[in-house]
Amino acid sequence: MPLEFRGPERVGITLNVNGRRVEVHVEPRRTLLSVLREELGLTGAKEGCGEGNCGACTVLLDGRSIYACLTLAVDCEGREIRTIEGLSRGGELHPVQEAFVEKDGYQCGFCTSGQIMSAVALLEEKPSPTEEEVRRGMVGNLCRCGAYPNIVEAVLAAVGREGGLDAED
Ligand code: FES
Ligand code: FES
């Protein structure tokens, strides 16, 4: 009798992404990063190392920055996920995005969405950080282009921007 191959079991989960509830059917082993990129078309978060070293995949989970490459999608059910795609409002860039543009906080741009999401989490938790606190807060995000001075300058420039830093406003 021929062996019957059944693909991996999938489970249905509901994710809250950028304020919208979406239902997906995924294998339990799938990472949040792969589900965001491949199932939901949210390709802002990048896969750099895939093993928790570079920060290119950074998104916010319940307001805290996390590596989406190390996070299982099934563990995110019922929690609030924010990605770079959810930052702008009504065509206006988020203050941190604006500051990155103004201060040239990037070169190739591969790390940029992760840098911005970490900066948003940092400033929401600590609205007036010192330069040292910014450097420490962004330590989990690597930039192979070495744009660090401009990245730090951009994060500091975003402090106290009119309109605040809450993307939900
Ligand atoms: S891709 Fe997630 S930390 Fe590098
Ligand atoms: S801007 Fe190229 S890796 Fe950071």
Side-chain angles (χ1 to χ4, degrees), residues 85-126:
E85 290 87 350
L87 288 188
S88 65
R89 284 290 177 272
E92 297 284 316
L93 291 179
H94 185 280
V96 174
Q97 291 175 304
E98 271 177 4
F100 267 71
V101 172
E102 282 171 25
K103 300 294 180 186
D104 287 331
Y106 47 81
Q107 287 182 35
C108 76
F110 189 84
C111 72
T112 309
S113 61
Q115 302 279 1
I116 288 175
M117 296 313 289
S118 284
V120 168
L122 172 72
L123 294 175
E124 286 182 358
E125 191 181 322
K126 194 166 192 63

Side-chain angles (χ1 to χ4, degrees), residues 54-55 58 60 64-67 100 114-123 125-126 129-142 148 151-152 155-156:
C54 72
T58 303
L60 305 193
R64 310 198 64 161
S65 60
I66 56 138
Y67 291 156
F100 267 71
Q115 302 279 1
I116 288 175
M117 296 313 289
S118 284
V120 168
L122 172 72
L123 294 175
E125 191 181 322
K126 194 166 192 63
T130 63
E131 182 174 334
E132 179 56 29
E133 286 168 335
V134 169
R135 288 183 190 282
R136 256 190 282 124
M138 303 289 293
V139 78
N141 291 79
L142 304 184
Y148 296 113
I151 290 170
V152 172
V155 179
L156 290 169

